[in-house]
Amino acid sequence: MLQLEEEDLEKNPQFSKLLLELCQILEPSGGSTTLSCELEEVQRELRLQRKVWLRSEVIYRLIQEMLLDLQVRKQEGKTTDDENKFLDGLQQCLLVTQCSDLLPSNNDAGSTSLLGLEKQDMLALLPSNMDILWIRERLHKQLEEALRKKCFTFLSFHQPETDEESEVLRAAKALRLASTLEDEKRRLQTEEEKHQEIGALLERQQEMYPHVLLRCLSLLRQAASDLRLQAQSEIDCMNAEYLEAKSNALFLKLRMEELQVLTDTYTLEKVDVHKYIRSSLEAAVKTEKNELAASKQILSSYEFLGTKFEELVQEYTRLRDKIKDNRWAIQELSKTLP
């Protein structure tokens, strides 16, 4: 029950002594030896009583099957006079026996019997002694025959190859069938115990398996980290140089593509045209700047007039708008005239 190692026992000598003393008074299951002996005796008596009861139960069921078979054959009209007499006598004996079991025995003092009947009253209903002896003799023979058929049936079920063998050989094998079944039962129990031991061992291995895997993973991780740290600086330098060269190459490629687009877009003719347009625009801008400077000089000269200049500007604006309106009216009238 205790999963102990030798190291545990060596570290705790007093505990080892305690276990030795307990082994003398306790069983491996935890019970005392006295109780184990008494329990074994009771179990032996129980097995004996169970065997006796089982023997009686087998005989009783065989008799019931026999009676049922005779009753069916009697209903079909296939029974002889001896079989009818045997059936009636056996049923009468069983009925008397069952009723007698319900009555109190002579040892039960003070108990009242059912309807005032005694066992002697029930025994008087049995057939005659000659009939009882005849029924008993015939019953023994039929029970032997029924048991023999049952044994052969069990043998055929357990060993189907015996169906083609002789009856003497089958009978010999049927006699050894109980011991054969006991041997097989012990073998199966042994295999079951081995299977349980293997199952327990498998469970322990399954419990240990994750720990071993975790230990292996930690060792692998540690080894990988150690190897990686040794070469990590060199790898980082090489990666930095590679990325720098790659970025420079990408920049140069982008500049080349940009220049290629510009050369494809602006040909010599287009450049000449743009130069001409630029010179024209610059000349126009220069002219406009000169005009703007002249206008600013004129405006600055008119600023000395003060409020009169504003009145003149308003009058000029009004007259220009009026002239514009008159021109529009003249154009409309000219459109209407033939």
Side-chain angles (χ1 to χ4, degrees):
M1 296 175 62
L2 299 176
Q3 297 180 358
L4 298 175
E5 301 292 339
E6 294 183 1
E7 297 179 357
D8 299 331
L9 297 177
E10 291 176 357
K11 292 179 181 179
N12 303 280
Q14 297 298 326
F15 181 68
S16 303
K17 187 183 296 184
L18 176 62
L19 289 178
L20 292 175
E21 294 178 358
L22 289 176
C23 290
Q24 297 177 1
I25 59 176
L26 295 179
E27 292 290 331
S29 60
S32 64
T33 55
T34 305
L35 290 177
S36 298
C37 294
E38 294 178 358
L39 180 62
E40 186 177 357
E41 185 65 27
V42 171
Q43 289 178 350
R44 188 183 300 109
E45 183 66 23
L46 178 62
R47 287 194 295 269
L48 181 61
Q49 295 296 330
R50 186 180 296 173
K51 187 182 295 184
V52 174
W53 175 85
L54 185 60
R55 185 185 297 113
S56 303
E57 183 69 15
V58 169
I59 294 175
Y60 178 74
R61 292 193 180 186
L62 287 176
I63 293 175
Q64 291 295 330
E65 291 179 2
M66 190 185 307
L67 291 175
L68 181 61
D69 183 56
L70 289 174
Q71 288 174 358
V72 172
R73 292 175 59 193
K74 185 177 181 180
Q75 292 292 332
E76 295 176 353
K78 298 179 180 180
T79 56
T80 61
D81 294 338
D82 291 340
E83 290 177 345
N84 292 332
K85 180 180 178 181
F86 175 73
L87 174 62
D88 297 336
L90 186 58
Q91 287 180 339
Q92 186 176 357
C93 292
L94 285 175
L95 182 60
V96 170
T97 303
Q98 292 174 356
C99 294
S100 299
D101 292 338
L102 298 176
L103 297 176
S105 60
N106 297 328
N107 297 328
D108 297 337
S111 60
T112 57
S113 62
L114 183 63
L115 301 177
L117 297 174
E118 299 293 338
K119 284 192 175 182
Q120 296 298 329
D121 299 331
M122 301 303 300
L123 295 177
L125 299 175
L126 290 173
S128 61
N129 294 331
M130 295 294 295
D131 292 339
I132 291 175
L133 293 175
W134 179 77
I135 292 171
R136 182 180 299 172
E137 183 178 0
R138 187 183 182 97
L139 179 62
H140 286 171
K141 293 180 179 180
Q142 293 192 3
L143 284 176
E144 289 178 359
E145 183 65 22
L147 287 173
R148 187 178 65 85
K149 291 181 179 179
K150 290 286 185 183
C151 291
F152 286 166
T153 303
F154 292 151
L155 182 64
S156 298
F157 177 78
H158 184 261
Q159 301 176 6
E161 67 276 3
T162 59
D163 294 340
E164 299 178 357
E165 297 177 354
S166 62
E167 187 173 352
V168 177
L169 185 58
R170 293 177 64 191
K173 289 185 177 181
L175 291 176
R176 295 194 301 270
L177 183 60
S179 60
T180 304
L181 293 176
E182 287 291 336
D183 295 338
E184 290 186 0
K185 182 179 179 181
R186 285 193 293 269
R187 180 177 58 80
L188 292 176
Q189 289 177 351
T190 304
E191 291 180 356
E192 184 178 2
E193 292 175 357
K194 291 181 180 179
H195 179 70
Q196 292 178 355
E197 292 177 358
I198 293 173
L201 179 60
L202 181 61
E203 290 180 358
R204 289 196 296 269
Q205 290 179 352
Q206 288 177 351
E207 292 176 357
M208 294 173 61
Y209 185 68
H211 300 289
V212 175
L213 283 180
L214 292 176
R215 177 61 178 168
C216 293
L217 288 175
S218 63
L219 292 175
L220 289 174
R221 190 179 296 111
Q222 183 178 359
S225 62
D226 294 340
L227 294 175
R228 185 176 180 181
L229 289 174
Q230 293 176 1
Q232 187 64 37
S233 59
E234 298 178 1
I235 294 173
D236 291 340
C237 293
M238 295 175 64
N239 288 333
E241 294 176 357
Y242 169 74
L243 292 175
E244 183 179 0
K246 187 175 181 180
S247 61
N248 293 331
L250 288 175
F251 289 147
L252 293 174
K253 187 175 181 179
L254 289 174
R255 182 59 180 168
M256 185 182 69
E257 293 293 334
E258 183 180 358
L259 295 175
Q260 184 67 34
V261 171
L262 291 175
T263 54
D264 293 340
T265 303
Y266 300 103
T267 61
L268 294 176
E269 293 79 5
K270 291 181 180 179
V271 171
D272 294 336
V273 172
H274 279 282
K275 286 181 180 180
Y276 174 75
I277 294 171
R278 184 174 181 178
S279 62
S280 300
L281 291 174
E282 288 178 352
V285 169
K286 187 175 180 180
T287 304
E288 292 294 331
K289 286 182 178 180
N290 295 329
E291 291 179 358
L292 179 62
S295 299
K296 286 182 177 180
Q297 290 179 359
I298 295 171
L299 288 174
S300 62
S301 62
Y302 283 123
E303 288 179 355
F304 294 104
L305 298 177
T307 56
K308 294 181 179 181
F309 175 73
E310 293 180 358
E311 292 177 358
L312 291 174
V313 171
Q314 291 177 359
E315 183 66 19
Y316 173 75
T317 304
R318 185 178 63 78
L319 291 174
R320 190 179 64 180
D321 293 338
K322 188 174 181 180
I323 291 171
K324 185 177 181 180
D325 294 338
N326 291 331
R327 286 178 178 175
W328 178 80
I330 292 171
Q331 289 178 358
E332 294 295 327
L333 288 173
S334 62
K335 290 180 181 180
T336 56
L337 292 176

